Amino acid sequence: MIYIVGIGPGDSAFLTQKAIEVIKQAHILVGGKRNLELFESLQVNKVVYDGKFDLVSFLRSVDFRNNIVFLASGEPMLYGIFSTVSKFVNKDDICVIPGISAVQYLCAKLKISMENLITLSAHGTVVDKYLFDEVIFALRKYKKVAIFTDPSNTPKYIISNLMKNKEFYNLVYENKEIFKMYVGENLSYKDEKISEFCFDDINHLPQDFARLNTILIVIGGI
């Protein structure tokens, strides 16, 4: 069986009991280097999922009678590894264990409801008109949107490009008194940092946000 286990935003304190149980029963543990470090003391065959990892070859080589556990940062069903693995494995051979996403964690810290929250991803994609349109739709209709980033699509890069979009600029300018943008860095880790920016700040965002960060934009309310 293939298990895809959400391990939360990073700190082991946010692992669910079910996730721990499944991981302890693994014959092979697959994950990013940072994720595998959480289970350094666990005596099990560990495989690093990095840029050199050949997923298709790996899946062809393993015995599905064993417990093959993929560690997924955050929630595997929210822009997570499930969508990748399920392209090559019958869904009947996959068991998903949910986890706490970075967006869920950030909203809880800020006490902002996730009801009607639209979550988008700029991770590994091109920041383009389609993303702009989705952000604008989310803010117009639901007043809040979360965006996953990556080392290339940083908060500064994403927002500076959004500000060049006339429709986005007009929307946030019209609501500048109640506009807020938050960036959560290294969420759940000891060096966690959550920054708040108003409209006047967003043209002067720092370049050096931590590699692990998530954006939340809201226009009034919770």
Side-chain angles (χ1 to χ4, degrees):
M1 176 67 76
I2 298 289
Y3 290 89
I4 302 179
V5 179
I7 61 171
D11 191 295
S12 59
F14 292 92
L15 279 161
T16 66
Q17 186 61 43
K18 183 63 177 178
I20 293 170
E21 290 174 4
V22 171
I23 290 166
K24 284 183 176 179
Q25 294 171 5
H27 295 103
I28 302 176
L29 200 58
V30 185
K33 187 170 181 285
R34 178 176 59 88
N35 294 341
L36 289 172
E37 286 172 354
L38 290 173
F39 309 98
E40 192 171 6
S41 62
L42 190 63
Q43 299 301 307
V44 64
N45 183 17
K46 299 184 179 76
V47 177
V48 178
Y49 194 141
D50 57 13
K52 300 176 183 178
F53 180 70
D54 186 335
L55 176 61
V56 176
S57 295
F58 173 79
L59 291 172
R60 285 174 178 167
S61 69
V62 295
D63 186 343
F64 280 30
R65 290 173 296 181
N66 292 326
N67 293 335
I68 317 301
V69 176
F70 284 81
L71 302 177
S73 297
E75 163 52 52
M77 306 300 283
L78 183 64
Y79 297 107
I81 194 175
F82 170 79
S83 59
T84 300
V85 174
S86 62
K87 292 176 183 176
F88 308 104
V89 179
N90 190 303
K91 290 182 181 179
D92 291 338
D93 294 321
I94 300 174
C95 177
V96 180
I97 309 300
I100 298 171
S101 72
V103 169
Q104 185 179 356
Y105 179 93
L106 181 59
C107 287
K109 293 286 283 192
L110 294 171
K111 300 178 179 63
I112 294 174
S113 169
M114 290 183 66
E115 293 174 10
N116 295 320
L117 173 68
I118 300 293
T119 302
L120 305 173
S121 179
H123 189 90
T125 64
V126 176
V127 175
D128 57 15
K129 182 181 182 300
Y130 297 104
L131 181 69
F132 299 158
D133 290 344
E134 290 177 322
V135 170
I136 293 164
F137 169 81
L139 289 176
R140 282 200 185 282
K141 188 168 180 65
Y142 298 116
K143 312 302 182 187
K144 48 193 170 183
V145 61
I147 307 171
F148 288 116
T149 68
D150 70 15
S152 298
N153 294 319
T154 63
K156 184 176 181 65
Y157 180 78
I158 292 169
I159 297 303
S160 63
N161 277 280
L162 277 168
M163 288 293 281
K164 295 173 185 176
N165 179 284
K166 185 176 180 181
E167 191 175 357
F168 176 83
Y169 179 88
N170 289 341
L171 174 63
V172 296
Y173 182 79
E174 290 165 6
N175 294 279
K176 63 181 180 179
E177 300 303 323
I178 53 174
F179 171 92
K180 293 289 182 185
M181 172 180 158
Y182 302 92
V183 178
E185 305 173 71
N186 295 325
L187 295 173
S188 82
Y189 290 99
K190 291 181 180 178
D191 56 348
E192 170 183 295
K193 181 180 179 182
I194 299 176
S195 303
E196 177 182 312
F197 304 96
C198 65
F199 175 80
D200 291 335
D201 297 326
I202 58 176
N203 278 322
H204 310 285
L205 294 177
Q207 294 275 11
D208 57 348
F209 287 107
R211 182 182 180 90
L212 299 175
N213 69 73
T214 303
I215 299 170
L216 179 65
I217 303 173
V218 297
I219 295 179
I222 57 172

